[in-house]
Amino acid sequence: MPHSTVLFELFLILSAAVIAVPIAQRLKANSIIGFLIGGLVIGPFGLGFIPDNRDISTVAELGVVFLLFMIGLELSRERLRVIGGKFAALGVLQITVTLGLGFVALIAIDLPLPSALVIAGALALSSTAIILKQLSDERQLHTRFGRAALAVLLLQDVAVGPFLIMVQAAGNTTSTTSPWVSILAGVGAVAVLLLAGRFLLRPMFRAIAALHNPELFAIGTLFAVLAASTLTEMAGLSMALGAFIAGVMLAETEFRHQIEADIAPFRGVFLSLFFMSVGMSVDVGVVYHHALTVILGVLALLLIKGAILFLLSLATRFDRAVSMRIALGLAGGGEFAFVMFSLAAQNGAITPQLAAILVPIVAISMALTPSMIALGKKLEDIFHPRETDQLGEIEAQTDGVEHHVLIIGCGRVGRVLARLLKTRNIPFIVLDSDAQQVARGRAEGLPVYFADGSRPESFRAAHTDQAHVAAVAMGSPHETEKTVALLRQHYPHLKIFARAQDISHIGALSRSGANAAIPEVLETGLRLSDHVLSACDVPQDEIDTEIAKFRRADMLLMNELAPRSPGHSSASATKPALANNKPENKA
């Protein structure tokens, strides 16, 4: 009963994922590592629960299809705007130099030309899934390192299409057809698909959206992905390439965000199956007998690729601290290498034995990537020459400012506060590490400066010893607590007010030294309630009374949740909160 066998194998895979992924996350490893280890344990080379992974590999191929579709969907003009100047130069140089040097090195150890080209291309890529997730969690995407990493990863994603064609052409070595003919045929098929996507996809989705049927919209998305994949497969290319092109074509449409929401569950499930199947394909015997080769391969990948990234970063005028972080963060391999090795092994571009050695090399380097990113951050914190010049400029430009308000964070909350202070002619300085937010604040005529607002050096540059109030309006709860604690430690005279994520966050901020913490959801909810009640024809005076009651009750609860340290009096704790009991003026 083959169907029952497949269902039982899927059950085993899901069971292994449920066990392995939480363990990996507890060990602070990426979930991809959990999938790989889970697949290894239950696969034919592990405990042997699944003796043959061919059935699963067929289903898992859809994970690659959806991964490439999502990558293409993210390559909109809006996201590509971050690639400019030295960021673009670094990305292009990283791909070409790493590919070129890797190709030469592999040729030097007597690998065939097609195999060397495929392997060098696969190892030139880094893990988009691991790096961007960690940078996003740590709110590092808008730092110079984060923007450089994003630019390099986006350009690597753009290179995915040509790399797929390269793998396809390299695998045709046993065919009587010239590789150049295969490449031209692939380019022609891609051109046809681009034209079809331009003239058919947008009208099709507009017609579906006009019917206001969510289920049909999801079906239309799946149809677009699978239709494009089938067309490229019929043209002799991979299904993944067709999905990638479909994603790129849809990235510029008004339906992009809805498509992302519809496709995300399918992508997650099938992609987890793909990584599990990769884990099942790892031959433990081969790894054991070639352990030295695998270890040397990991070291060579990290050292050579890291050295290339470091030198290229310096050459494109990044300072040493950022160059070091780029080298450490992007030196590892990426998930798309598994795709390339799998396709290359299937079409004969590399041998299955070589693929069995390359897969654990990439997997181990990926497992080390989060630790290397953290190491780069620690080294930057030790040396960090990156902000010296910038902080000197801030100190010079704000010289003479005193008895001012220091605002840390120039997002929605910080800008509202800054505009109100400006209308009252109260001096203030705003710090933010997001270049886009700094540019937006400067465009509004606000004194916003690019600096990490969670560092004592930034406090000194902003003359915090002369300030009397600090408002911490950062988005990250962890960074907010850290900043409040540092401000309280270095400037005990300051009155510190902080933006809390919710009511439960108030206690932590108070213990860190905040005089008052205001949950961001409170006033938003009250303002929304005001408008809704008004639309329901409730008299405005009754609305004001009810909102005042809610505000008083919430502020009392906030004060109960904000335990005071010995250095804070209860009066100082109560006064800021009760000051908010007055009904808001209507806009």
Side-chain angles (χ1 to χ4, degrees):
M1 292 186 297
H3 294 292
S4 299
T5 301
V6 173
L7 288 176
F8 182 67
E9 289 178 350
L10 287 173
F11 167 73
L12 289 175
I13 287 174
L14 294 176
S15 301
V18 167
I19 296 172
V21 172
I23 292 175
Q25 291 182 338
R26 279 187 173 274
L27 297 174
K28 300 191 182 302
N30 192 273
S31 58
I32 293 175
I33 307 303
F35 288 128
L36 293 172
I37 294 174
L40 173 64
V41 170
I42 66 174
F45 303 107
L47 298 178
F49 291 148
I50 299 179
D52 188 352
N53 69 338
R54 281 180 293 182
D55 292 335
I56 299 302
S57 296
T58 302
V59 179
E61 284 181 14
L62 292 175
V64 183
V65 168
F66 288 118
L67 170 64
L68 270 294
F69 177 75
M70 294 294 283
I71 288 175
L73 202 60
E74 291 171 357
L75 295 179
S76 64
R77 238 176 277 150
E78 177 184 351
R79 291 204 69 187
L80 291 175
R81 282 196 192 104
V82 303
I83 306 178
K86 62 182 181 181
F87 296 104
L90 176 61
V92 172
L93 287 172
Q94 184 274 324
I95 295 170
T96 54
V97 173
T98 308
L99 175 61
L101 292 180
F103 178 72
V104 171
L106 293 170
I107 290 294
I109 60 174
D110 295 328
L111 275 180
L113 290 177
S115 300
L117 188 62
V118 169
I119 295 170
L123 297 182
L125 304 177
S126 306
S127 176
T128 301
I130 293 177
I131 296 171
L132 290 189
K133 183 179 186 302
Q134 181 151 345
L135 293 183
S136 176
D137 291 344
E138 297 178 359
R139 297 184 63 82
Q140 292 286 311
L141 278 175
H142 296 296
T143 63
R144 275 177 287 181
F145 163 62
R147 293 171 65 200
L150 178 60
V152 172
L153 292 171
L154 283 177
L155 284 168
Q156 289 181 0
D157 290 344
V158 172
V160 162
F163 278 11
L164 286 173
I165 296 176
M166 178 181 72
V167 172
Q168 196 73 26
N172 288 333
T173 53
T174 58
S175 173
T176 57
T177 306
S178 167
W180 294 108
V181 174
S182 299
I183 292 174
L184 289 174
V187 171
V190 169
V192 171
L193 187 56
L194 288 173
L195 289 173
R198 178 169 184 177
F199 293 106
L200 294 178
L201 279 181
R202 191 188 293 262
M204 182 187 80
F205 275 94
R206 282 179 176 168
I208 293 174
L211 298 175
H212 303 289
N213 188 324
E215 292 81 7
L216 185 59
F217 194 92
I219 291 172
T221 301
L222 292 175
F223 170 78
V225 176
L226 297 179
S229 302
T230 303
L231 284 173
T232 51
E233 186 182 39
M234 291 173 62
L237 299 173
S238 70
M239 294 177 66
L241 178 60
F244 175 78
I245 295 171
V248 172
M249 298 303 297
L250 288 169
E252 294 300 326
T253 67
E254 61 271 32
F255 310 107
R256 171 190 162 198
H257 297 294
Q258 182 61 45
I259 291 171
E260 283 180 338
D262 287 340
I263 212 72
F266 300 98
R267 180 242 189 179
V269 172
F270 288 120
L271 193 57
S272 64
L273 289 177
F274 167 72
F275 286 121
M276 294 287 283
S277 71
V278 170
M280 285 187 274
S281 67
V282 176
D283 190 333
V284 179
V286 172
V287 175
Y288 176 76
H289 289 101
H290 297 84
L292 182 60
T293 302
V294 172
I295 294 172
L296 291 176
V298 173
L299 292 175
L301 173 62
L302 297 178
L303 291 174
I304 296 174
K305 191 174 175 184
I308 291 172
L309 281 161
F310 181 72
L311 294 174
L312 290 177
S313 299
L314 290 177
T316 47
R317 299 183 179 179
F318 287 95
D319 59 51
R320 287 188 179 182
V322 175
S323 299
M324 184 168 51
R325 289 196 69 185
I326 293 171
L328 289 170
L330 302 182
E335 55 274 355
F336 191 69
F338 300 138
V339 180
M340 293 184 66
F341 293 150
S342 176
L343 294 175
Q346 289 173 15
N347 65 18
I350 61 175
T351 63
Q353 292 78 15
L354 182 56
I357 296 175
L358 291 169
V359 166
I361 289 175
V362 173
I364 293 172
S365 71
M366 288 174 63
L368 294 173
T369 295
S371 299
M372 294 181 68
I373 293 175
L375 175 62
K377 181 68 167 63
K378 288 181 180 179
L379 292 175
E380 186 187 35
D381 288 339
I382 294 173
F383 301 107
H384 65 84
R386 63 186 184 90
E387 286 190 334
T388 303
D389 296 338
Q390 178 71 23
L391 293 178
E393 293 177 11
I394 295 173
E395 189 170 7
Q397 293 176 21
T398 58
D399 188 30
V401 177
E402 58 183 15
H403 209 64
H404 58 286
V405 177
L406 173 65
I407 303 174
I408 300 176
C410 192
R412 298 183 303 273
V413 176
R415 282 204 309 279
V416 168
L417 173 58
R419 288 199 295 264
L420 289 172
L421 292 174
K422 185 178 180 180
T423 61
R424 303 296 299 177
N425 294 319
I426 298 174
F428 64 95
I429 296 173
V430 188
L431 302 180
D432 201 298
S433 59
D434 184 340
Q436 293 180 347
Q437 298 288 16
V438 172
R440 188 175 293 119
R442 287 296 184 97
E444 296 178 10
L446 303 175
V448 186
Y449 299 94
F450 181 79
D452 187 345
S454 62
R455 285 186 170 171
E457 296 89 343
S458 301
F459 302 155
R460 288 194 290 271
H463 307 283
T464 307
D465 56 334
Q466 299 295 323
H468 71 108
V469 176
V472 184
M474 306 170 80
S476 167
H478 174 73
E479 289 297 316
T480 302
E481 293 172 29
K482 173 185 172 183
T483 302
V484 168
L486 285 172
L487 285 170
R488 179 56 65 204
Q489 176 186 349
H490 293 283
Y491 306 98
H493 70 282
L494 273 180
K495 294 179 181 177
I496 304 173
F497 304 95
R499 165 189 176 184
Q501 186 179 32
D502 49 38
I503 290 181
S504 64
H505 189 212
I506 294 172
L509 289 173
S510 179
R511 288 188 292 272
S512 297
N515 293 87
I518 311 301
E520 57 185 288
V521 297
L522 174 61
E523 290 302 324
T524 303
L526 292 178
R527 291 292 298 276
L528 179 61
S529 302
D530 188 330
H531 287 284
V532 171
L533 291 172
S534 179
C536 294
D537 298 326
V538 177
Q540 190 61 50
D541 57 340
E542 295 181 17
I543 295 175
D544 292 341
T545 301
E546 292 298 326
I547 287 180
K549 288 180 182 177
F550 271 90
R551 185 178 280 114
R552 280 193 295 272
D554 279 329
M555 290 302 172
L556 289 173
L557 178 59
M558 286 164 55
N559 288 330
E560 291 175 6
L561 292 172
R564 296 286 104 187
S565 61
H568 296 289
S569 66
S570 59
S572 66
T574 307
K575 186 177 178 180
L578 295 181
N580 289 317
N581 288 343
K582 295 177 290 186
E584 291 187 13
N585 294 329
K586 295 292 172 281

